[in-house]
Amino acid sequence: MQITNICCIGAGYVGGPTMAIIAKQCPEIKVTVVDLNEARIAAWNDQDMDNMPVYEPGLSDVVAQARGRNLFFSTDVDKAIDEAQMIFISVNTPTKTYGSGKGMGADLKWIELCARQIARVSKSNKIIVEKSTLPVRTAEAIKDILQYAGNDIEFQVLSNPEFLAEGTAVEDLLNPDRVLIGGDSSPEGKRAIESLVEIYNNWIPRERILTTNVWSSELSKLVANAFLAQRISSINAISELCEKTEADVNEVARAIGMDSRIGPKFLKASVGFGGSCFQKDILNLVYISRSFGLTEVADYWEQVIIMNDHQKKRFALNIVRKLYNTVSGKKIAFLGWAFKKDTNDTRESAAIYVADYLLNEQAELRVYDPKVVERQVYADLDYLGSRTAEQNRASIGVGADPYEVCKGAHAIAVLTEWDEFKDYDWERIYDGMLKPAKIFDGRNLLDADKLRSIGFIVQSIGTKSLKKQLVAV
Ligand code: NAD
Ligand code: UDX
């Protein structure tokens, strides 16, 4: 079937950019992105591109080019479903916060709501595409709901997980390593797969479009994220050993990464991985494995999360220890709050957890992030429920000027690897700080030797410990 009308339910970090690129690359297809969240849709429709709900390099140009031509953002979900031949479901699938599977399984209530709405509204045959990341065999539940709608409509359900990373979404969507499409092996299923292949084939070579059965496709997404996160936890585990042995984690990563079987990517030691996907998807994998009685498999993958939690905590505890075992009333400046550079997304950012530990120790925190606004920092901390909203606002401030944020601080913690941090006037920052001025670089971003020559005491993840530096002095 030649597709000319697409709807996407969910205008978030995946739905928005993904559909903007399809609209850009396929001007003959009308693409409507719908969401229940009126403010989000209004922001996507805002003429001032600075107000877009998702910050991604290059995205505003893509949206400006296609919006109003063949890309539309709307809250009229029923109308968009009714008119579309193909419906992408790109809603949130967070970790459950209640009932059975609490803290482990994926909460699929928004997925089910979408399936029921599609079943209720549809008057013509449709292809449903799972774009959200879902537990393996979710398509079965979606099919069930659609089949029992009693409206004689043929629905095909495809799995087409998204592999984009935030901060590089436009580049990843324009030039993906692969596109994965899972579907039924029936003739109707194969036709549905082919319709989606044709859309992607407008800009992606056929050999990079992989087709599989639905279950392999659903599971591959969880597995891809688990493998990526596992590499980070592995190098982070080694970073702790490096700090004890005077090995340097950057040198170790380089040495092992040059082995073509290991490869150089995703070996950057850090304060811990964040983002909305890794933890959620591994927990989901662990939960599924446990539900099949696969205890060893579940325990194996759970260790990736345990290591990540340890890394965040150990970073915070190290700050306390190196500030003479107390940070009570001491000012600590945070450079970065987003879970990685080039995004305004803060979901599961390591910064939130490090801040929480330090606030428990009565530190006074000041935060600067080039893309994260003050209300988001407060929302992230309030969500943890560790203290009241008033207490959070009394002990953490957010500033728009990094030099002001660092002024009078006992220490600086680098939580996000924003490029601009490298180019600051570090002499000026040093002059404004209390002495000894300490930097805890959770991203191995800054030039430690240069900072030491200014007078800073620097602790970068996985490198010589502060104690050894002091002994050396
Ligand atoms: P998001 O929270 O940014 O966006 C989801 C949107 O869906 C929200 O705006 C919400 O209002 C809307 N929504 C929920 N239920 C709805 C309904 N019934 N009708 C209409 N709108 C509804 O989430 P996201 O980051 O875009 O992630 C979406 C999915 O993609 C998740 O399953 C996630 O795991 C997966 N994913 C995310 C990324 C990423 O980098 N963020 C990458 C790959 C895959
Ligand atoms: C990830 C996957 O990369 C992407 O394919 C999937 O679709 C969604 O989840 P994302 O979470 O946006 O993407 O960013 P990613 O670049 O993977 O980084 C995740 C976290 O790991 C960040 O906090 C990042 O700083 C951290 N990280 C990444 C490291 O600590 N070290 C590394 O070497 C790489």
Side-chain angles (χ1 to χ4, degrees):
M1 179 172 34
Q2 175 81 28
I3 303 293
T4 53
N5 194 316
I6 287 178
C7 152
C8 173
I9 309 179
Y13 283 87
V14 169
T18 311
M19 292 303 126
I21 294 292
I22 291 183
K24 174 185 182 301
Q25 301 299 91
C26 312
E28 69 291 351
I29 300 179
K30 180 182 176 190
V31 181
T32 308
V33 191
V34 291
D35 205 296
L36 298 172
N37 183 333
E38 288 179 12
R40 213 165 207 188
I41 291 298
W44 280 114
N45 281 324
D46 203 315
Q47 290 311 310
D48 181 352
M49 287 301 185
D50 285 342
N51 293 335
M52 287 224 302
V54 171
Y55 171 72
E56 280 292 339
L59 182 61
S60 52
D61 290 345
V62 176
V63 172
Q65 196 184 330
R67 195 175 57 188
R69 180 190 72 184
N70 66 326
L71 176 65
F72 303 92
F73 295 93
S74 163
T75 50
D76 194 343
V77 184
D78 279 2
K79 179 166 180 275
I81 291 175
D82 180 33
E83 289 175 357
Q85 300 151 293
M86 183 178 271
I87 301 168
F88 287 75
I89 303 180
S90 187
V91 299
N92 35 323
T93 51
T95 305
K96 257 186 107 179
T97 53
Y98 56 90
S100 70
K102 179 180 173 179
M104 296 298 290
D107 192 343
L108 298 181
K109 82 176 159 208
W110 293 279
I111 293 285
E112 182 169 340
L113 279 173
C114 290
R116 290 190 185 280
Q117 190 164 6
I118 294 168
R120 178 171 54 76
V121 171
S122 296
K123 299 196 277 291
S124 55
N125 294 348
K126 299 199 188 293
I127 299 170
I128 312 304
V129 184
E130 297 176 343
K131 187 51 113 177
S132 296
T133 303
L134 297 169
V136 55
R137 297 206 77 89
T138 303
E140 204 165 33
I142 296 179
K143 268 185 205 157
D144 249 24
I145 291 168
L146 296 173
Q147 264 162 17
Y148 287 99
N151 49 14
D152 272 347
I153 288 170
E154 190 204 306
F155 290 103
Q156 281 299 321
V157 180
L158 302 179
S159 160
N160 172 222
E162 184 49 60
F163 295 100
L164 70 79
E166 289 179 29
T168 52
V170 171
E171 174 54 27
D172 292 344
L173 288 163
L174 284 174
N175 194 18
D177 286 350
R178 74 335 202 160
V179 166
L180 178 59
I181 302 172
D184 262 11
S185 54
S186 62
E188 299 78 22
K190 284 184 178 152
R191 274 201 296 276
I193 292 175
E194 209 37 50
S195 310
L196 188 51
V197 168
E198 272 173 30
I199 293 174
Y200 283 115
N201 199 205
N202 278 304
W203 75 99
I204 296 163
R206 186 68 183 79
E207 61 275 12
R208 277 199 262 151
I209 305 175
L210 192 65
T211 57
T212 64
N213 78 34
V214 187
W215 321 124
S216 307
S217 172
E218 287 179 336
L219 185 58
S220 296
K221 174 64 198 177
L222 296 184
V223 174
N225 276 350
F227 269 61
L228 289 168
Q230 182 203 42
R231 279 173 74 92
I232 303 168
S233 276
S234 298
I235 199 69
N236 281 345
I238 298 305
S239 74
E240 191 170 12
L241 191 56
C242 287
E243 287 167 29
K244 301 285 179 212
T245 57
E246 290 189 49
D248 180 320
V249 77
N250 301 307
E251 292 178 352
V252 174
R254 186 146 184 262
I256 64 166
M258 283 175 77
D259 185 325
S260 60
R261 294 168 301 174
I262 296 176
K265 294 184 182 167
F266 263 69
L267 285 180
K268 189 104 183 76
S270 66
V271 54
F273 60 74
S276 64
C277 293
F278 282 172
Q279 172 162 310
K280 158 177 89 69
D281 293 346
I282 295 175
L283 288 173
N284 197 347
L285 194 63
V286 171
Y287 183 66
I288 295 167
S289 304
R290 274 204 215 297
S291 70
F292 285 110
L294 309 179
T295 308
E296 289 78 5
V297 177
D299 289 350
Y300 176 78
W301 287 108
E302 194 163 28
Q303 201 58 37
V304 175
I305 301 286
I306 293 171
M307 188 62 227
N308 197 49
D309 288 341
H310 170 68
Q311 189 75 349
K312 291 182 273 190
K313 191 170 178 184
R314 133 181 139 73
F315 183 78
L317 293 180
N318 192 40
I319 294 178
V320 178
R321 207 170 299 133
K322 299 294 160 45
L323 292 181
Y324 315 108
N325 286 316
T326 177
V327 290
S328 181
K330 288 184 183 167
K331 183 175 163 186
I332 301 173
F334 270 33
L335 291 182
W337 190 264
F339 81 98
K340 62 186 279 196
K341 72 171 180 178
D342 292 339
T343 178
N344 60 346
D345 195 348
T346 64
R347 289 178 289 180
E348 291 301 328
S349 178
I352 303 169
Y353 297 94
V354 174
D356 194 46
Y357 288 125
L358 294 176
L359 290 174
N360 284 344
E361 295 290 333
Q362 303 185 338
E364 298 286 324
L365 304 184
R366 295 290 174 273
V367 178
Y368 168 77
D369 187 290
K371 287 290 172 198
V372 179
V373 293
E374 185 177 56
R375 78 180 125 75
Q376 187 60 48
V377 173
Y378 290 136
D380 291 336
L381 285 168
D382 292 348
Y383 182 77
L384 292 185
S386 306
R387 57 198 75 72
T388 64
E390 292 70 37
Q391 286 167 328
N392 281 331
R393 280 150 192 76
S395 40
I396 184 163
V398 182
D401 177 350
Y403 295 96
E404 282 304 312
V405 161
C406 295
K407 204 182 247 172
H410 291 254
I412 294 173
V414 178
L415 277 309
T416 313
E417 73 282 24
W418 287 102
D419 289 328
E420 66 171 60
F421 298 163
K422 291 188 273 193
D423 302 327
Y424 286 172
D425 180 347
W426 285 100
E427 304 230 9
R428 181 177 158 200
I429 291 177
Y430 180 77
D431 290 342
M433 286 178 67
L434 295 184
K435 309 296 180 312
K438 293 182 177 168
I439 296 190
F440 298 87
D441 185 351
R443 296 291 185 166
N444 282 345
L445 177 77
L446 305 174
D447 182 340
D449 288 339
K450 192 173 131 200
L451 293 174
R452 284 186 193 120
S453 72
I454 294 172
F456 283 106
I457 294 170
V458 187
Q459 170 82 73
S460 308
I461 291 279
T463 63
K464 204 160 43 165
S465 79
L466 278 187
K467 193 163 152 233
K468 296 214 169 75
Q469 284 170 47
L470 291 172
V471 170
V473 171

